[in-house]
Amino acid sequence: MGTNAQKKSATNRTRRAIVNILKQQGATDAQELAAHLGISAMAVRQHLYALQAEQLVTYHEEAREMGRPAKLWQLTPAADRLFPDGYADLTLSLLDSVKEAFGEAGLEQLLDVRTRHQLEAYQSAIPAQASLSQKLEALASLRTEEGYMAEVQTLDDGTFLLIENHCPICAAATACTGLCARELEIFQRILLDAVVERTEHIIAGERRCVYRVSRQD
């Protein structure tokens, strides 16, 4: 590989890394991005301006106690194309076809079957005797494999956050809200010893989906 090709490959990797960090963390300044990537803030800004020219990122300014306001960078809706979309067009077409052929009852039956299969797959991969923390980590790993970019955070009060930074079925979930309702149901059935509450929702305009998970009293 020639020098120019190597530089282009390195540039693409860095920009993809920046996009992934913004997807997972939300609005972030150049200094923090630089710390994650191990490169200078100046280099990060050059990449950000290039991504901005492609309409993949934008920023808003945040006042700081000292100095000039900081630019907090975030992804634009156009950046969604860089992440798995779950074959959105095909899924929407199939949902419409099921509804047309079998009505709402048929669609509910389809969701029942999907829920059962998904629950069985998760239950076979997550030991029932595992701790709540272990179950959440295993669930996050499975969801990440499915394209949800999931992670678990432990809060000071002992509760957990299951965070999904991307929704690969967003278009389908927007058209069929039952998909989201069933996912919440699945999480509750996997985490039998916990209470699961959705606190942020991509479909409602949030950047991510977040589930607060607490042990039952």
Side-chain angles (χ1 to χ4, degrees), residues 16-27:
R16 181 68 205 208
I18 289 172
V19 167
N20 286 341
I21 292 170
L22 293 178
K23 184 68 172 175
Q24 292 177 304
Q25 295 192 182

Side-chain angles (χ1 to χ4, degrees), residues 128-193:
Q129 68 275 17
S131 68
L132 179 56
S133 176
Q134 290 170 332
K135 287 180 179 179
L136 279 167
E137 291 292 349
L139 180 58
S141 179
L142 290 169
R143 299 288 285 180
T144 294
E145 290 176 4
E146 295 172 5
Y148 289 87
M149 298 179 71
E151 59 183 298
V152 178
Q153 290 182 6
T154 305
L155 302 181
D156 292 340
D157 63 0
T159 61
F160 302 91
L161 296 181
L162 174 62
I163 300 169
E164 295 183 340
N165 293 291
H166 181 62
C167 179
I169 62 166
C170 190
T174 300
C176 178
T177 55
L179 284 168
C180 288
R182 297 306 179 94
E183 292 197 332
L184 184 58
E185 174 188 334
I186 289 169
F187 293 166
Q188 186 64 74
R189 293 178 67 179
I190 290 293
L191 307 170
L192 287 172
D193 50 349

Side-chain angles (χ1 to χ4, degrees), residues 40-116:
S40 70
M42 182 178 294
V44 167
R45 290 187 187 97
Q46 291 176 343
H47 289 301
L48 287 168
Y49 289 132
L51 290 168
Q52 184 184 34
E54 296 180 48
Q55 298 183 328
L56 297 174
V57 301
T58 186
Y59 69 85
H60 66 272
E61 293 189 340
E62 180 181 79
R64 297 290 167 91
E65 290 184 4
M66 298 180 62
R68 301 188 326 188
K71 287 187 173 80
L72 293 184
W73 293 87
Q74 61 195 54
L75 299 181
T76 67
D80 285 345
R81 64 179 171 80
L82 301 177
F83 298 91
D85 66 2
Y87 304 103
D89 291 340
L90 174 60
T91 303
L92 289 175
S93 176
L94 288 173
L95 288 173
D96 287 340
S97 297
V98 168
K99 190 181 297 186
E100 182 178 344
F102 306 107
E104 291 291 344
L107 184 58
E108 284 298 313
Q109 188 174 359
L110 175 66
L111 292 177
D112 286 342
V113 173
R114 178 183 183 272
T115 299
R116 185 178 75 248

